[in-house]
Amino acid sequence: MAEAVLIDLFGLKLNSQKNCHQTLLKTLNAVQYHHAAKAKFLCIMCCSNISYERDGEQDNCELETGNGLSALLKEFEIVSCPSMAACLYTIKQKIDERNLSSIKVIVPRHRKALMKAFIDQLFTDVYNFEFEDLQVTLRGGLFKQSIEINIITAQELREIQNEIETFLRSLPALRGELTIITSPLIPDIFIHGFTTRTGGISYIPTLSSFNLFSSSKRRDPKAVVQENLRRLANAAGFNMEKFYRIKTHHSNDIWIMGRKEPDSYDGITTNQRGVTIAALGADCIPIVFADPVKKACGVAHAGWKGTLLGVAMATVNAMIAEYGCSLEDIVVVLGPSVGPCCFTLPRESAEAFHNLHPACVQLFDSPNPYIDIRKATRILLERGGILPQNIQDQNQDLNLCTSCHPDKFFSHVRDGLNFGTQIGFISIRE
């Protein structure tokens, strides 16, 4: 049973002819009868412009009442916006506010492919859609079954994407201004930084607002994440068309750019100018590496498993082997991560950190000791030959616990499965 029902009247003329109202009335009555008891959201989508042009022709977007419609319409929330992108994004917000995921869309057959294309761009696999045909009138005729259009051309898809991008660019930043944390250790020949959670457009509480990762398990679509990334690129000064994120597997595999890209990896290195590489973080450590002598850089994602597997030194070793970097020239900056105040592991997993150094574990004799993955990372880097003064893991906001600071950072430990993601990024200036 659908949790939400959306009736698409966008761009349709619902004129005063008796047949039109009777058919619409029948549709609304059927929705109310079958869904009102269980559906938590009943919605009608229509265009706020009096008319709009499509394919060189004008369509009216009037929702007239009468013949019993007025009372019935009170049971439905009407979303009226000037564009499809604005309408569906507004409806998505209302669906997300209610934490719904099962949606029935009642749509004219000739608009079904268009509707599905918009939904593919603005929703993720968290949502389940079913579609039902709506009998409509086209340009003044009686309601009739229209011809279904099954194909969206490449040009039409680009127009849909452009409409969505234009709308998302118009949205205000949430939770404050975009903030980038940088390190004085990394010289100006590099563009680098670590993001916080402020200044983006993501509105879902655990993703708000500067979420930079989309997946099938989250409610933030790629289009929203791309708009957040666009704003970051503009603020930091890098080219988002040459932006690469790690493909996390909680391992120590490294992708050396220029070689074949693995299916998954927790580190990237490059010496290509103008290419930005990024490590994800939401309790795990996003680590940035830079060698100003050989003009090479790297990033790594270090969770507790990757830390023990030595992903940080694996990144360093890749830079040495590929670009001829020297240990004494490489600087390493650890981005914000969960602190030992909030991160625990079962005792059998904590034992490996205790064996690395007892200072990495607090309350070791408890069933779930507290773990300091930042201290463990520094120890492994120093043992690998990185100079202690070339490692920054404190100072500024870098050492704030992500779980303890919900105003600044996303956190898996704190927020659960639908958590947002910040990043650490670096590139060599062109």
Side-chain angles (χ1 to χ4, degrees), residues 91-158:
I91 290 166
K92 182 180 184 298
Q93 286 180 301
K94 295 176 182 295
I95 287 170
D96 290 333
E97 286 171 4
R98 296 164 172 81
N99 198 32
L100 310 179
S101 58
S102 178
I103 305 152
K104 170 172 276 193
V105 181
I106 302 175
V107 56
R109 292 182 69 191
H110 73 282
R111 285 175 51 82
K112 188 182 295 185
L114 179 70
M115 176 66 75
K116 287 182 177 180
F118 269 95
I119 286 172
D120 285 345
Q121 297 293 316
L122 287 171
F123 292 81
T124 70
D125 289 348
V126 167
Y127 308 86
N128 177 46
F129 287 89
E130 59 176 309
F131 295 86
E132 181 178 307
D133 292 342
L134 173 67
Q135 290 184 331
V136 300
T137 182
L138 297 177
R139 294 181 180 84
L142 298 180
F143 273 83
K144 60 184 179 181
Q145 195 66 34
S146 56
I147 299 173
E148 183 169 354
I149 301 172
N150 293 314
I151 299 173
I152 292 290
T153 66
Q155 176 62 29
E156 288 172 328
L157 181 57
R158 282 194 295 272

Side-chain angles (χ1 to χ4, degrees), residues 299-375:
V299 292
H301 161 267
W304 72 267
K305 292 180 180 179
T307 298
L308 290 176
L309 289 170
V311 68
M313 275 308 301
T315 308
V316 169
N317 291 332
M319 292 174 66
I320 292 171
E322 190 69 15
Y323 315 120
C325 299
S326 299
L327 282 168
E328 60 269 19
D329 296 327
I330 297 175
V331 296
V332 185
V333 182
L334 277 60
S337 69
V338 68
C341 49
C342 295
F343 184 57
T344 64
L345 285 174
R347 195 174 186 281
E348 54 270 24
S349 300
E351 188 172 355
F353 284 93
H354 191 268
N355 292 339
L356 175 63
H357 197 288
C360 297
V361 184
Q362 299 175 18
L363 302 178
F364 179 59
D365 292 331
S366 68
N368 296 285
Y370 289 83
I371 308 299
D372 191 338
I373 57 174
R374 298 178 72 81
K375 188 181 291 293

Side-chain angles (χ1 to χ4, degrees), residues 70-339:
S70 297
L72 190 54
L73 285 173
K74 292 178 182 179
E75 304 296 323
F76 293 78
E77 186 161 344
I78 298 175
V79 174
S80 181
C81 298
S83 71
M84 278 279 287
C87 270
L88 282 173
Y89 193 80
T90 301
I91 290 166
K92 182 180 184 298
Q93 286 180 301
K94 295 176 182 295
I95 287 170
D96 290 333
E97 286 171 4
R98 296 164 172 81
N99 198 32
L100 310 179
S101 58
S102 178
I103 305 152
K104 170 172 276 193
V105 181
I106 302 175
V107 56
R109 292 182 69 191
H110 73 282
R111 285 175 51 82
K112 188 182 295 185
L114 179 70
M115 176 66 75
K116 287 182 177 180
F118 269 95
I119 286 172
D120 285 345
Q121 297 293 316
L122 287 171
F123 292 81
T124 70
D125 289 348
V126 167
Y127 308 86
N128 177 46
F129 287 89
E130 59 176 309
F131 295 86
E132 181 178 307
D133 292 342
L134 173 67
Q135 290 184 331
V136 300
T137 182
L138 297 177
R139 294 181 180 84
L142 298 180
F143 273 83
K144 60 184 179 181
Q145 195 66 34
S146 56
I147 299 173
E148 183 169 354
I149 301 172
N150 293 314
I151 299 173
I152 292 290
T153 66
Q155 176 62 29
E156 288 172 328
L157 181 57
R158 282 194 295 272
E159 290 173 0
I160 290 168
Q161 292 169 337
N162 287 338
E163 180 181 321
I164 291 171
E165 289 170 7
T166 300
F167 169 72
L168 294 179
R169 288 186 183 193
S170 73
L171 297 178
L174 304 176
R175 298 183 69 105
E177 296 182 355
L178 194 161
T179 302
I180 302 172
I181 306 169
T182 58
S183 167
L185 271 187
I186 297 182
D188 197 47
I189 65 168
F190 299 96
I191 297 171
H192 83 284
F194 299 91
T195 63
T196 69
R197 70 179 301 170
T198 63
I201 63 169
S202 304
Y203 59 79
I204 294 167
T206 57
L207 304 178
S208 178
S209 66
F210 207 67
N211 174 44
L212 287 167
F213 185 69
S214 176
S215 77
S216 60
K217 298 179 181 179
R218 300 187 191 182
R219 289 177 177 257
D220 247 4
K222 289 181 180 179
V224 167
V225 171
Q226 283 299 101
E227 172 56 20
N228 285 340
L229 179 61
R230 186 194 68 82
R231 297 184 185 203
L232 174 62
N234 285 349
F238 64 77
N239 181 0
M240 69 175 291
E241 301 301 323
K242 297 180 180 179
F243 178 85
Y244 299 88
R245 297 177 185 88
I246 61 169
K247 296 181 179 178
T248 303
H249 191 57
H250 296 280
S251 67
N252 60 359
D253 295 324
I254 311 299
W255 177 33
I256 299 171
M257 290 197 73
R259 297 188 181 182
K260 183 180 178 181
E261 183 181 3
D263 292 334
S264 62
Y265 45 90
D266 284 79
I268 311 175
T269 66
T270 187
N271 64 350
Q272 300 177 29
R273 293 179 181 272
V275 172
T276 302
I277 53 179
L280 311 179
D283 295 330
C284 299
I285 315 171
I287 309 175
V288 167
F289 305 78
D291 180 351
V293 177
K294 294 295 185 181
K295 296 181 175 58
C297 59
V299 292
H301 161 267
W304 72 267
K305 292 180 180 179
T307 298
L308 290 176
L309 289 170
V311 68
M313 275 308 301
T315 308
V316 169
N317 291 332
M319 292 174 66
I320 292 171
E322 190 69 15
Y323 315 120
C325 299
S326 299
L327 282 168
E328 60 269 19
D329 296 327
I330 297 175
V331 296
V332 185
V333 182
L334 277 60
S337 69
V338 68

